């Protein structure tokens, strides 16, 4: 079976923008033409590829075909570059945990961009314990994840560990933990959590106090907001060391228990099929990680 490039481009554009009209604007065709191309591709594959929205979302088959279209575009762009011809546009979809995206990952992407002209990065944000799901489902070509075992069809490259520290404001400590961080006090003291997938605070509690503590929890899905909330006294939480270092230095933050860092190992999982085309990105990620993460 041969796949039609124009039909694949229509599918990828719909998923990129979440709508048929914006996909039509990107491709320079009518919305009706976009619908016709998608319908023809679905008939050829024999299964729905889009869950109509808004926004339009991919089925499992649609996600894999959209990734295939992006991978073809990347390989073509790099072939043209090697021939000293102007590369075409390409897109690489990645899954990255929010704390890496807020700290060291942008430098890696910027360095990779220099070696991959014409390439745009599309980043999906997920917890490091769950970002591998995007690779398993065929929705991305690479992921920053805490999963070190090779996923099917992928290579896992160790990067180092992102260091966290459990911190709160002095005012919070005086109000909720006046006798220090004890199990009894922490069971009642408000805690911060990024979202329902965030298990860092629970791991830290279990490490130092054993299982069973379930404090009242504020959910704040923002890395920067997490730090600000801790400084404001809303709750305590684990923040990447580099982000809360200014707060510690100025006295706006203190550690719940001094010198108790929590290190989270990170890995770059990359599709073996796309590894040659993504080699510049892999080099940039490993270089940035060596400069920022804790060596394993």
């Amino acid at each position: 079976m041969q796949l039609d490039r124009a039909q694949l481009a229509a599918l990828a554009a719909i998923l990129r923008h979440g709508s048929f009209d914006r996909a039509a604007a990107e491709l320079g065709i009518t919305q009706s033409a976009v619908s016709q191309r998608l319908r023809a591709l679905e008939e050829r594959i024999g299964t729905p590829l889009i869950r109509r929205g808004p926004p339009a979302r991919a089925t499992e088959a649609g996600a894999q075909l959209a990734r295939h279209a992006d991978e073809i575009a990347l390989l073509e762009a790099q072939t043209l570059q090697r021939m000293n011809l102007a590369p075409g546009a390409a897109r690489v979809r990645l899954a990255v945990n929010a704390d890496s995206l807020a700290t060291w990952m942008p430098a890696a992407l910027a360095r990779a961009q220099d070696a991959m002209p014409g390439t745009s990065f599309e980043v999906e944000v997920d917890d490091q314990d769950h970002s591998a799901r995007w690779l398993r489902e065929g929705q991305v070509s690479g992921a920053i994840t805490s999963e070190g075992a090779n996923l099917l069809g992928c290579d896992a490259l160790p990067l180092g560990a992102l260091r966290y520290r459990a911190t709160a404001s002095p005012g919070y400590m005086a109000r909720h933990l006046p006798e220090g961080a004890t199990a009894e006090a922490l069971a009642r003291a408000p805690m911060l959590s990024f979202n329902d997938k965030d298990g860092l605070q629970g791991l830290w509690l279990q490490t130092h106090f054993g299982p069973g503590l379930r404090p009242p929890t504020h959910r704040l899905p923002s890395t920067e907001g997490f730090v600000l909330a801790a400084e404001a006294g809303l709750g305590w939480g684990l923040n990447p060391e580099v982000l809360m270092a200014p707060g510690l230095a100025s006295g706006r933050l203190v550690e719940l228990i001094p010198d108790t860092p929590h290190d989270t190992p990170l890995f770059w999982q990359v599709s073996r099929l796309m590894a040659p085309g993504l080699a510049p990105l892999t080099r940039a990620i490993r270089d940035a990680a060596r400069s920022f993460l804790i060596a394993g």
Side-chain angles (χ1 to χ4, degrees):
M1 177 188 296
Q2 288 187 328
L3 299 174
D4 184 281
R5 293 289 304 282
Q7 294 171 2
L8 287 173
L11 170 66
I14 293 167
L15 295 179
R16 194 151 49 242
H17 297 289
S19 73
F20 285 68
D21 56 343
R22 281 181 284 182
E26 177 191 320
L27 298 173
I29 58 178
T30 65
Q31 184 174 336
S32 175
V34 170
S35 297
Q36 290 172 9
R37 291 181 184 182
L38 175 64
R39 185 162 53 251
L41 183 59
E42 289 180 325
E43 290 175 356
R44 186 167 185 78
I45 298 299
T47 188
L49 302 174
I50 293 286
R51 295 186 180 93
R52 271 65 174 176
R57 297 185 181 276
T59 63
E60 183 177 350
Q64 295 193 38
L65 282 179
R67 170 180 158 182
H68 173 69
D70 289 340
E71 290 171 345
I72 289 175
L74 175 63
L75 294 175
E76 286 189 352
Q78 293 182 335
T79 299
L80 292 171
Q81 183 183 1
R82 287 194 297 269
M83 297 172 65
N84 294 319
L85 299 174
R91 184 177 300 272
V92 176
R93 297 193 73 214
L94 309 170
V96 179
N97 61 308
D99 289 338
S100 289
L101 193 59
T103 51
W104 64 275
M105 192 64 178
L109 296 178
R111 186 177 303 179
Q113 177 68 61
D114 293 338
M116 303 169 69
T119 302
S120 299
F121 298 109
E122 184 172 328
V123 177
E124 301 292 346
V125 178
D126 207 341
D127 184 85
Q128 62 267 10
D129 293 334
H130 298 268
S131 53
R133 172 183 64 85
W134 296 83
L135 265 175
R136 290 193 187 93
E137 296 178 357
Q139 298 190 57
V140 298
S141 297
I144 303 295
T145 173
S146 61
E147 192 162 333
N150 290 345
L151 300 178
L152 182 64
C154 297
D155 289 321
L157 306 177
L159 299 176
L162 187 58
R163 172 158 288 180
Y164 293 81
R165 292 188 184 273
T167 60
S169 71
Y172 175 95
M173 295 292 291
R175 179 180 179 185
H176 296 284
L177 306 174
E179 304 300 323
T182 64
E184 183 180 4
L186 283 169
R188 300 189 303 269
M191 184 178 78
L192 302 175
S193 178
F194 190 85
N195 56 27
D196 288 339
K197 298 177 180 179
D198 180 9
L200 283 178
Q201 284 71 221
L203 285 173
W204 186 88
L205 284 172
Q206 184 167 332
T207 298
H208 297 286
F209 299 97
L213 289 183
R214 292 181 176 80
T217 302
H218 301 291
R219 287 180 172 79
L220 298 174
S222 164
T223 299
E224 295 80 2
F226 215 83
V227 178
L228 293 174
E231 291 183 351
L234 181 64
W236 73 269
L238 270 78
N239 294 295
E241 187 174 56
V242 67
L243 291 183
M244 54 73 170
L248 280 176
S250 68
R252 298 191 305 272
L253 289 172
V254 295
E255 282 193 80
L256 268 65
I257 304 176
D259 299 320
T260 55
H262 180 90
D263 294 341
T264 297
L266 296 177
F267 299 83
W268 168 235
Q269 293 261 11
V270 60
S271 162
R272 290 195 190 107
L273 179 64
M274 289 304 297
L278 294 178
L281 175 60
T282 296
R283 285 194 296 272
I285 286 174
R286 299 186 83 172
D287 288 346
R290 276 193 292 269
S291 301
F292 187 91
L293 301 180
I294 304 298

